Structures are given as C-alpha cells and as structure tokens.
Amino acid sequence: MVVSIKRTMAAKTERTFIAIKPDGVQRGLMGEILKRFEQKGFRLVALKFLQASEDLLKQHYIDLKDRPFYPGLVKYMSSGPVAAMVWEGLNVVKTGRVMLGETNPADSKPGTIRGDFCIEVGRNIIHGSDSVDSANKEISLWFKPEELVSYKSCAQDWIYE
C-alpha cells in the first residue's frame, strides 16, 4: 500500500532578506534580480527602495564591526539607494544563497547573480541572509511587521506539490 503525503507549504516555508546594493541599483540590475527570484518560484512579501542610514547599516553589519573593511562597507552601502526585499518559499535562505553565488565573484559560477554580473568582492551587488536566524534578524531590522504582506500566489499550486 502506498500512502501519498501532501506536503504543506506553510509548514516548511521560510523567509529571507535580500538587498540589492548601491552598485546593483546604479547598474540597473534590480529588474533582472527580481525576475530571477520570481522565476524560481519564490514569493516577494516586502520591498523597499531607500537610502539606508549609517545607523541602520552599522546594526545590519554589527557582526563585522571588528573587521578592517567594516568602515568602508558601511560608507559604501550608505553611498546610494538599495532595494531591500523579503522573499518567501521552501528553503529560500539556502537556495537564495546559491542563486547569489559566492561572496567573491571570482569564485562564483556562471548562472549565479554574482557570477554573471560581478568582478570584485567590494562591488558584489547583492546581500542575502546566510541562515534562517540571520534572515529573521535582518527582516525585523529593515521592515516593520505590518510591511510584510501575506498572500497565496495563484502559481503556488504549480510550484509546490
């Protein structure tokens, strides 16, 4: 006897924080990046286009504060607008990191965002949460709870079993 168990997407879904950095915005890559996440089947639940303050960025990158590149990173990230997003889906944190490619674009495979569009670490166009815990922390830092939209995509049944 074969028993079919229908997975419930809600039980396995997670959210991740993705930010298109000033170089990605300036190079006109926002649409391409959103397109890749949408085509993969992830659902956009929040989007903000803003000039991030140094205070926000210092909080966001607090775990890097003792690194020599920290001051330059904060200055760079506050130098232009960023697109802050929250994406939702099954294994979105892990899959999102794979889609981004390695932090160093030289180590990124073709087909990844950094592999296709970046050359140097200091201009790697995108940030993605590295764990579910980091994602939750980053989402709460950049978005108020009421800014997160909850909805069922009409494509959901075509993406998930």
Side-chain angles (χ1 to χ4, degrees):
M1 180 165 143
V2 177
V3 178
S4 175
I5 300 172
K6 184 164 177 81
R7 283 192 251 167
T8 58
M9 190 205 143
K12 298 188 185 277
T13 196
E14 60 191 32
R15 290 178 171 171
T16 193
F17 176 75
I18 301 290
I20 303 171
K21 297 177 180 182
D23 52 328
V25 171
Q26 292 290 342
R27 292 179 55 203
L29 296 172
M30 291 190 313
E32 176 65 30
I33 291 167
L34 269 86
K35 176 183 168 185
R36 288 183 182 212
F37 277 85
E38 285 183 321
Q39 285 181 330
K40 182 68 176 176
F42 294 129
R43 182 173 49 234
L44 182 65
V45 297
L47 171 65
K48 260 186 203 179
F49 187 65
L50 71 153
Q51 181 91 25
S53 70
E54 284 196 17
D55 287 341
L56 173 61
L57 294 164
K58 284 178 181 177
Q59 287 180 285
H60 179 87
Y61 290 114
I62 193 75
D63 57 324
L64 302 174
K65 71 178 167 90
D66 296 326
R67 305 292 284 273
F69 58 83
Y70 176 76
L73 174 63
V74 171
K75 183 179 178 188
Y76 163 69
M77 286 294 294
S78 63
S79 71
V82 298
M85 301 173 279
V86 179
W87 289 91
E88 186 176 80
L90 184 65
N91 297 318
V92 71
V93 173
K94 180 181 177 184
T95 305
R97 295 284 292 186
V98 171
M99 291 170 63
L100 268 56
E102 300 299 323
T103 302
N104 184 345
D107 298 329
S108 296
K109 293 183 170 134
T112 65
I113 292 167
R114 291 176 177 146
D116 289 350
F117 301 114
C118 305
I119 296 172
E120 290 192 297
V121 173
R123 297 294 182 266
N124 67 5
I125 75 168
I126 194 161
H127 165 85
S129 300
D130 61 4
S131 70
V132 173
D133 288 340
S134 292
N136 291 334
K137 181 183 132 216
E138 292 170 351
I139 291 166
S140 68
L141 186 62
W142 290 79
F143 293 91
K144 297 174 189 162
E146 62 270 16
E147 294 175 315
L148 303 172
V149 179
S150 188
Y151 66 100
K152 180 181 177 185
S153 166
C154 61
Q156 182 173 321
D157 292 336
W158 298 107
I159 296 168
Y160 296 98
E161 294 181 62

